[in-house]
Amino acid sequence: MPDAVAFSVRAAWQQELAQAIRDPLQLGQLLDLPETWVQQHAGARELFPMMVTRHFVNLMTRGDCDDPLLRQVMPSADEYLERDGFVVDPLQEQNNEHPGILHKYKSRVLVILRGGCAINCRYCFRRHFPYAEHHFGSEQRRQLLDLVRQDTAINEVILSGGDPLLATDTQLERLLSELESVPQLRRVRIHSRLPVVLPSRLTQQLAKRLEQSRLQSILVLHANHPNEVATELAQGLELWARHGITLLNQSVLLRGVNDDVEVLSDLSEKLFAAKVLPYYLHQLDAVKGASHFAVTDAVALTIAEGLRTALPGFLVPRLVREIAGEPSKTPLELSRC
Ligand SMILES: *Cc1c(COP(=O)(O)O)cnc(C)c1O
Ligand code: SF4
């Protein structure tokens, strides 16, 4: 839990977060999963803790070990597989000059505002990230402001994590006020999976504050499967859209979850019905412990072609890969890995 929470009345989303499920055996019971199957996989929590909100669990099908949402959060014995090229720090982020601030692309700077998440995705490229060393405190805030004041090529600040919406509305409002004082900044962007797993996080208070800002604001969600676009989420997104916030989504292409044209088409359609445009479809970062989620480039490109045929152009996400050292994300068509 974020430290400031203890001193104020908890918001609804904070109370829900405190109820998150961290024990695979408990998850198995809630979902009526075969006990032997759960036992076989539960041990992999030692590699990366399990965490999932009750809202997300409620979107899973009882008794289905292959449920696409379950697969994203349930520890798996496959995480012990060693595979060439799957490493601890695939993006070489861990020797950063300013901890918590990633300035890889010219016009935008990304800050790791909060280390934790409300869900631990098994495929996460930051599953081995030393978050404890990356707390975004007053020192980091000063460094960020110094950086954006000095480097006038930066016109956009991206709040990322972990999950930046684990910060309270008050903390976010204070940071926003500071960013508004930097003349060349145009936009603030929030990269968050929290609304998907905890829709009550889409508070009206924060939406109103963003609407009043001189800076344009963008929320980039992270949903991978149409079953994640629940009614409660769609309602929260409608509210934020009414406050003028641009809504985008990024997904990770995951074997056994969404490596399918029909599933991804459904996702795009459901997102658009909730006022969200697809942005990126990421080819998995080769992080140790997640190789069983990998989709080959050949299959990924075939899926992308299928999406172009099935959907209008504005509902087709850009299929990209992140390559350490490149000045932007790389379209898969151009990447050689
Ligand atoms: C992905 C990423 C961004 C954002 O890239 P866009 O193409 O603008 O969405 C910015 N900084 C870092 C370090 C990133 O990994
Ligand atoms: S929400 Fe994002 S950062 Fe957090 S565990 Fe999932 S993939 Fe990783």
Side-chain angles (χ1 to χ4, degrees):
M1 293 296 292
D3 23 65
V5 168
F7 303 103
S8 57
V9 178
R10 284 182 170 193
W13 65 269
Q14 290 169 322
Q15 293 176 24
E16 273 182 66
L17 183 58
Q19 311 286 317
I21 293 159
R22 295 159 185 274
D23 177 0
L25 304 181
Q26 188 189 359
L27 180 62
Q29 280 164 7
L30 281 170
L31 290 170
D32 282 334
L33 300 174
E35 218 178 300
T36 45
W37 182 84
V38 174
Q39 297 282 3
Q40 192 186 330
H41 294 285
R45 67 189 289 193
E46 71 178 7
L47 300 176
F48 184 47
M50 192 196 90
M51 172 154 63
V52 58
T53 61
R54 286 179 187 261
H55 169 79
F56 203 70
V57 175
N58 289 338
L59 303 175
M60 299 174 187
T61 304
R62 295 175 85 90
D64 183 3
C65 297
D66 295 326
D67 182 276
L69 276 55
L70 177 68
R71 194 167 155 79
Q72 296 178 55
V73 300
M74 177 71 194
S76 165
D78 288 346
E79 293 172 38
Y80 291 98
L81 296 173
E82 296 276 346
R83 196 161 133 195
D84 278 355
F86 283 74
V87 298
V88 167
D89 181 18
L91 304 181
Q92 293 154 40
E93 284 183 344
Q94 289 178 17
N95 294 314
N96 198 271
E97 185 184 349
H98 302 294
I101 301 175
L102 298 174
H103 186 206
K104 293 205 284 199
Y105 303 157
K106 201 165 176 282
S107 66
R108 47 257 194 249
V109 61
L110 182 148
V111 301
I112 296 183
L113 198 62
R114 275 291 177 279
C117 288
I119 180 173
N120 281 347
C121 311
R122 308 311 298 178
Y123 55 84
C124 182
F125 72 100
R126 295 208 172 112
R127 54 182 278 158
H128 308 285
F129 202 69
Y131 274 132
E133 298 160 26
H134 285 249
H135 182 71
F136 198 84
S138 50
E139 175 60 21
Q140 276 78 14
R141 218 167 48 236
R142 197 185 54 71
Q143 284 183 358
L144 171 67
L145 287 165
D146 284 351
L147 175 69
V148 291
R149 284 202 183 101
Q150 279 160 21
D151 186 344
T152 52
I154 299 173
N155 59 27
E156 179 170 349
V157 172
I158 301 172
L159 309 182
S160 185
D163 206 305
L165 287 182
L166 283 179
T168 63
D169 286 355
T170 311
Q171 290 164 337
L172 290 162
E173 284 166 18
R174 187 172 61 170
L175 178 59
L176 189 61
S177 299
E178 288 172 326
L179 295 176
E180 282 163 344
S181 73
V182 185
Q184 91 275 1
L185 283 184
R186 293 178 191 161
R187 290 180 290 275
V188 62
R189 192 193 319 175
I190 300 172
H191 278 189
S192 174
R193 186 141 159 81
L194 225 71
V196 171
V197 299
L198 217 55
S200 53
R201 181 64 190 93
L202 291 170
T203 62
Q204 184 157 33
Q205 180 186 332
L206 188 54
K208 276 187 177 157
R209 177 62 184 82
L210 290 168
E211 184 177 23
Q212 285 158 4
S213 180
R214 167 184 86 69
L215 303 171
Q216 286 192 291
S217 50
I218 302 150
L219 172 66
V220 183
L221 293 177
H222 172 183
N224 297 318
H225 191 280
N227 294 359
E228 294 172 43
V229 189
T231 314
E232 299 89 332
L233 172 61
Q235 285 166 350
L237 293 169
E238 287 271 348
L239 174 76
W240 274 43
R242 280 204 299 279
H243 286 284
I245 297 151
T246 299
L247 303 174
L248 304 173
N249 181 66
Q250 50 186 346
S251 309
V252 180
L253 184 59
L254 299 167
R255 193 154 75 90
V257 175
N258 62 6
D259 55 338
D260 179 271
V261 173
E262 199 173 325
V263 167
L264 287 172
S265 300
D266 271 6
L267 175 62
S268 279
E269 292 285 357
K270 278 185 91 170
L271 286 167
F272 188 66
K275 308 249 188 287
V276 183
L277 281 171
Y279 181 34
Y280 281 139
L281 176 61
H282 293 274
Q283 186 55 309
L284 185 78
D285 295 310
V287 67
K288 186 177 158 78
S291 65
H292 55 295
F293 285 112
V295 174
T296 65
D297 282 1
V299 170
L301 287 165
T302 307
I303 290 171
E305 199 181 306
L307 290 176
R308 281 194 294 273
T309 314
L311 293 166
F314 61 90
L315 290 188
V316 180
R318 301 157 181 78
L319 176 62
V320 294
R321 154 176 290 129
E322 189 159 343
I323 301 175
E326 289 295 313
S328 70
K329 309 274 185 257
T330 305
L332 210 65
E333 290 81 356
L334 306 178
S335 88
R336 297 171 140 275
C337 263

